[in-house]
Structures are given as structure tokens and as C-alpha cells.
Amino acid sequence: MVTVELTRFRVSSERAEELLAARPAMLRDFEADRKGFLDARLIQLPENEWIDIVFWRSPEDLAASRAKGGNLPYIQAFFELVDELVSSEEGVMLDGRLP
């Protein structure tokens, strides 16, 4: 089964374009540095909220990624654009299909 990380956060409307511009480089850093990273989807919600849905091979891979934090420049640059972390949860994808 695939582990799913659901991170909900806020970004000011003034920084939304910057967040989107920073996303591709952040994902390249994830692909290069995060064992078990499978894919990610970024969803814009109302009220300057976003949800990042990240797919991992295992809960251990997710835990290792969390421990690394913003260890690479483009990951850190993306994280710095987040004004507020609303929630972070972990789940399991039951149908087994990636987007």
C-alpha cells in the first residue's frame, strides 16, 4: 500500500505565484533526495489555503523525509513561502493507483 502525506497550509495571495514557481525545483530536489517519494499533487483551496498530497512508498520513507526537513535549497525555498502550517496527516491509499 502507498503511504499518503496530507499537508494543509496557508500562503498569502501575494506569494501564491511565487509558491507555484518554486514548486518544480522543490519536486526535483525531492526526487533526487527523498527515498520512496512517488508523486505529489498541490491543490489550491479557498481562503489562501493549500493542500499538498504526497505519495510515498512506505511510512518509513515519509518519516525519513520529515526528519530531513528543508535540507536542500529548493525544498527550503518552497517551505519558506508557507505562512502557516494548518495540519499534517498520514494515511494509506487503499485502491493502490497513483494519479
Side-chain angles (χ1 to χ4, degrees):
M1 285 187 276
V2 171
T3 298
V4 181
E5 176 183 19
L6 302 165
T7 305
R8 191 173 184 136
F9 57 90
R10 287 192 180 90
V11 174
S12 68
S13 56
E14 296 82 19
R15 295 171 72 169
E17 286 186 37
E18 193 176 351
L19 180 84
L20 292 173
R23 181 75 172 180
M26 185 273 284
L27 290 176
R28 283 193 299 275
D29 271 0
F30 257 53
E31 290 169 350
D33 184 61
R34 306 296 165 112
K35 181 182 170 194
F37 171 75
L38 300 174
D39 200 1
R41 295 290 186 259
L42 184 62
I43 312 297
Q44 185 175 14
L45 303 169
E47 306 292 325
N48 298 323
E49 286 194 3
W50 300 73
I51 189 162
D52 203 354
I53 305 169
V54 184
F55 302 92
W56 298 94
R57 190 181 55 224
S58 70
E60 294 80 16
D61 292 331
L62 169 55
S65 175
R66 285 180 173 163
K68 287 185 174 187
N71 67 318
L72 294 178
Y74 294 116
I75 295 172
Q76 184 61 35
F78 184 86
F79 288 175
E80 287 175 356
L81 294 167
V82 173
D83 294 319
E84 177 188 353
L85 177 64
V86 175
S87 65
S88 183
E89 299 179 71
E90 179 180 333
V92 176
M93 188 168 60
L94 297 177
D95 67 6
R97 292 177 291 159
L98 287 176

